[in-house]
Amino acid sequence: MNSSFTWVLAFTLLGSALSVAAAGVYLLLPARLREKSLDYLLSFAIGMLLGAGFLHLLPEALEQAQDSTHGLMGTALFAILVFFLLEKGLIWRHHHHHGQTHHSAEDQHHAPANSGEGPAGTLILIGDSVHNFLDGILIAVAFLADSSLGVVTALAVSAHEIPRETAAFAISLTTGYSRPQAFVYTSLSS
């Protein structure tokens, strides 16, 4: 087996284990503390995603695109629209599937968690799986370029994954997954 492949596997598994361990620690917190920290974790996760996209990824893409900034911004807008419609479609399907007619946002926020997964939880798990797959590719490419770069990249990805996975776990809990379901699905996604 190639030594680069061994390093890639070792560091991707280490990152996954660390992020799952963080989700497990969150699971062990008292329910009252989990409930109090949930809004903060959700806000942190959203802020981190928006910050990474608009403060790092888009400016870098704009710098490289030089001549086609309109196309790049159109792509970004299209992606936002697609995910907005996907979320609305899943929420619509979820409410009709359970026979619910109409609820206000306040009713949904204070409604008790059911045994089925919510649309946001499904979206988070799908997006998290794709994101983790791409992180694995990034780590593999970095190790192929240079083993030192691979180690640094893997550590940076792990540092970024731990709070993100914990937030994904928290979101899964609020969208109706039970604690064991959220832990298993987050582990599989990681």
Side-chain angles (χ1 to χ4, degrees):
M1 186 182 293
N2 188 348
S3 68
S4 292
F5 182 71
T6 305
W7 281 106
V8 168
L9 261 163
F11 274 92
T12 54
L13 289 175
L14 176 67
S16 294
L18 287 173
S19 61
V20 169
V25 168
Y26 184 77
L27 180 63
L28 296 175
L29 294 175
R32 188 182 50 139
L33 185 58
R34 275 196 324 267
E35 217 171 275
K36 282 185 175 184
S37 67
L38 190 60
D39 286 338
Y40 295 110
L41 283 172
L42 292 173
S43 297
F44 178 72
I46 292 166
M48 192 169 57
L49 289 172
L50 289 173
F54 285 99
L55 298 176
H56 177 67
L57 297 175
L58 277 176
E60 187 174 320
L62 285 169
E63 186 178 297
Q64 292 180 6
Q66 294 175 1
D67 295 333
S68 61
T69 57
H70 283 55
L72 180 64
M73 296 310 286
T75 302
L77 181 60
F78 179 73
I80 291 169
L81 181 63
V82 165
F83 281 104
F84 174 77
L85 293 174
L86 182 61
E87 180 185 15
K88 292 300 176 189
L90 284 172
I91 288 170
W92 176 81
R93 183 197 156 279
H94 178 74
H95 286 291
H96 285 278
H97 176 70
H98 290 290
Q100 300 170 346
T101 53
H102 45 275
H103 292 281
S104 69
E106 187 68 22
D107 291 341
Q108 288 178 338
H109 181 67
H110 295 318
N114 57 21
S115 61
E117 71 277 357
T122 303
L123 282 174
I124 290 293
L125 289 171
I126 291 169
D128 198 32
S129 298
V130 171
H131 181 104
N132 289 332
F133 178 74
L134 294 174
D135 281 346
I137 291 173
L138 176 69
I139 291 170
V141 168
F143 268 107
L144 290 174
D146 180 43
S147 60
S148 299
L149 178 63
V151 170
V152 169
T153 302
L155 292 175
V157 166
S158 293
H160 143 92
E161 282 300 310
I162 291 169
R164 204 179 60 70
E165 290 291 340
T166 305
F169 181 77
I171 292 168
S172 296
L173 288 176
T174 63
T175 58
Y177 286 105
S178 68
R179 288 177 7 169
Q181 283 177 320
F183 187 74
V184 167
Y185 291 145
T186 302
S187 299
L188 290 174
S189 167
S190 185

